[in-house]
Amino acid sequence: MPKSSTSRSGSVAVAKVDGRWAVRDGAKGGSIFPTRAEAVAAAKRALARQGGVLTVHQANGKVRETLTLGRDTAVRLNGIEGVALNAASRRLLRDVQASGMTPAQQRSAISAAFKK
C-alpha cells in the first residue's frame, strides 16, 4: 500500500509519471499511486493536517486545478477577510470535521445548523 505524502513545505503537486500518479512535495520526493484519484486523496489528507496548496495536473502535464487546503490556511484567510467564528461555531466545525463525514455531508450539516 502506498505511503501518503507528509508535506511540510505547504506545496504539493499530483502529476503523472511513468504511467502512474505521483504526489510530489517539492525537493523531498513523494509517493506513487496507481490512479490520480488515490494520489489526490493522499495529498488532500496530508495538506488537511498542516495546510497548503495542492496543484493537480492532467496526464498531459497541464494544470487541472489548484486548491488551498487546511485549517491554518482557513484561519489566515478568515483573518484577512475579517471573519471570526464564535465558540459555538468553532465547536460545530470541530465536531463536523471529526465526524468522518464526506465533505458534501459536512457542508450539508453546517448549512442545516445555520438555517433559520
Side-chain angles (χ1 to χ4, degrees):
M1 175 162 238
K3 182 179 166 188
S4 66
S5 174
T6 55
S7 168
R8 293 199 198 291
S9 70
S11 179
V12 174
V14 172
K16 195 162 192 177
V17 177
D18 297 329
R20 296 186 297 169
W21 291 90
V23 176
R24 292 190 173 166
D25 176 15
K28 294 183 180 187
S31 303
I32 302 294
F33 297 86
T35 67
R36 178 174 40 214
E38 290 174 279
V40 169
K44 285 181 177 180
R45 283 191 303 273
L47 286 174
R49 289 188 292 272
Q50 88 279 340
V53 175
L54 168 60
T55 303
V56 181
H57 295 268
Q58 297 177 25
N60 65 7
K62 291 184 179 180
V63 174
R64 177 180 179 164
E65 64 183 322
T66 302
L67 306 166
T68 301
L69 304 166
R71 285 188 217 152
D72 292 339
T73 302
V75 169
R76 286 193 305 270
L77 291 172
N78 288 345
I80 292 167
E81 296 294 326
V83 176
L85 298 176
N86 63 26
S89 295
R90 284 193 302 274
R91 271 193 305 277
L92 172 66
L93 185 58
R94 183 186 62 239
D95 292 346
V96 167
Q97 288 175 332
S99 70
M101 291 186 236
T102 66
Q105 291 169 326
Q106 290 180 21
R107 283 189 296 275
S108 292
I110 292 168
S111 178
F114 289 100
K115 282 188 178 177
K116 292 186 179 193

